[in-house]
Amino acid sequence: MTLYLSPKLTPDEIRKAKAAGIVGVKSYPRGVTTNSDGGIESYEAYYSVFEAMQEVDMVLNLHGEVPSDPANNIHILNAEPSFLPHLHRLHATFPRLRIVLEHATTRAAVEAVKACGDTVACTITTHHLALTVDDWAGQSWHFCKPVAKYPDDRQALRDVIAEGHPRFFLGSDSAPHPPDQKSTSTPLCGCAAGIYTSPILLPLTAHLLESFGALDKLEGFVSTFGRNFYKKPANGNKVVLKRPSSAMTIPTNGYTFKEAIVIPFWAGQQLDWIINM
């Protein structure tokens, strides 16, 4: 479980949360993604909270973008690289604070995390291993925050997984927005940002890792590396994937989520792996 960084969060609340088994704190900058209007505007205002987190060994989870700012040429394609100085500054100020840069999408982010050292890690979503900017421009079902970037950025994500780097691991960032929020927009309101992968996450991840020669890195990427960084021991449960006699087609009629029908990523496409039930 995690808390959300807000003005109500204090060092004492951090210590109580740690004692209650809370593992981390999630931070959204204001206005960068769906439902982030209550996000933060200044990290310096929370330095006492970060000091307490470092003291009790909690994890800071960062949505690594800054808000768009036309005056400074900040937009959705460079919002992540523009955030990275904040990451470096936080790491330099709190070198023992464990930080996870979530759902990275750029080569710059991969290089920044590598440069920070052992207390800084990074999650990568499965859908960002498949998408580039061409896939979401004009296609609302592939629109998420942070948006998928250039082919070279996608290659950097694939390469660090194929490398087996232990500080880069899966973070699904699965967002179950119903079709009416994903497929429509108005002049005053765009579509919801988010991609739904939960029902197919492990088979899809195996399918994509195999496509770029990294299937042997699957267990580390989806399980071991994240557990190790969060200091969570294995619980003995295992999930086994198998290759079916014929490829599985991802349902186009969606899955039921909280009494709503949600359309998954890659609906209608085929996967070479399934969970062995």
Side-chain angles (χ1 to χ4, degrees):
M1 295 179 62
T2 59
L3 301 173
Y4 286 96
L5 192 61
S6 74
K8 297 180 180 180
L9 199 58
T10 66
D12 283 344
E13 291 295 326
I14 288 295
R15 297 181 185 98
K16 291 176 183 178
K18 177 66 175 183
I22 303 296
V23 299
V25 173
K26 171 77 174 185
S27 166
Y28 285 102
R30 185 184 299 276
V32 298
T33 189
T34 304
N35 299 324
S36 66
D37 291 342
I40 70 168
E41 296 181 330
S42 169
Y43 290 100
E44 287 80 2
Y46 296 92
Y47 271 15
S48 63
V49 171
F50 299 150
E51 181 61 48
M53 291 176 63
Q54 180 174 251
E55 171 193 321
V56 300
D57 196 27
M58 287 179 74
V59 178
L60 176 62
N61 299 277
L62 297 173
H63 180 111
E65 294 184 287
V66 298
S68 293
D69 180 4
N72 290 296
N73 197 38
I74 305 297
H75 48 78
I76 59 173
L77 286 175
N78 66 11
E80 182 176 281
S82 299
F83 175 85
L84 297 177
H86 293 291
L87 173 66
H88 286 299
R89 192 174 304 115
L90 285 169
H91 175 57
T93 307
F94 305 99
R96 293 183 290 107
L97 176 63
R98 286 185 291 150
I99 299 173
V100 176
L101 179 66
E102 295 194 326
H103 40 60
T105 62
T106 59
R107 181 174 294 277
V110 170
E111 293 173 350
V113 170
K114 283 186 171 183
C116 282
D118 291 345
T119 57
V120 178
C122 178
T123 61
I124 297 172
T125 78
T126 300
H127 52 273
H128 282 125
L129 297 175
L131 299 174
T132 67
V133 61
D134 284 348
D135 296 303
W136 61 260
Q139 169 50 284
S140 61
W141 294 95
H142 292 161
F143 181 67
C144 61
K145 290 288 191 74
V147 297
K149 305 302 192 301
Y150 303 114
D152 179 68
D153 293 306
R154 181 180 64 181
Q155 190 60 48
L157 303 180
R158 293 177 171 185
D159 287 347
V160 79
I161 293 171
E163 177 187 334
H165 197 296
R167 289 188 284 116
F168 291 80
F169 42 85
L170 176 67
S172 71
D173 200 33
S174 182
H177 298 296
D180 65 317
Q181 295 180 23
K182 284 298 297 176
S183 62
T184 61
S185 64
T186 72
L188 296 177
C189 181
C191 72
I195 289 174
Y196 187 50
T197 56
S198 289
I200 55 167
L201 183 62
L202 291 180
L204 176 64
T205 304
H207 181 98
L208 289 169
L209 263 61
E210 185 175 37
S211 75
F212 57 87
L215 186 60
D216 62 320
K217 304 302 191 298
L218 179 67
E219 182 176 5
F221 178 63
V222 306
S223 178
T224 310
F225 297 158
R227 283 204 319 268
N228 289 346
F229 189 82
Y230 277 90
K231 301 181 180 179
K232 292 293 182 180
N235 59 15
N237 296 329
K238 290 187 177 182
V239 176
V240 178
L241 299 178
K242 70 176 182 180
R243 196 186 300 274
S245 57
S246 58
M248 180 192 81
T249 301
I250 301 173
T252 57
N253 58 354
Y255 294 89
T256 301
F257 182 87
K258 293 185 177 179
E259 301 181 355
I261 298 298
V262 184
I263 307 301
F265 181 59
W266 264 20
Q269 297 199 52
Q270 294 185 325
L271 297 179
D272 293 334
W273 294 90
I274 61 173
I275 293 177
N276 186 21
M277 305 298 289

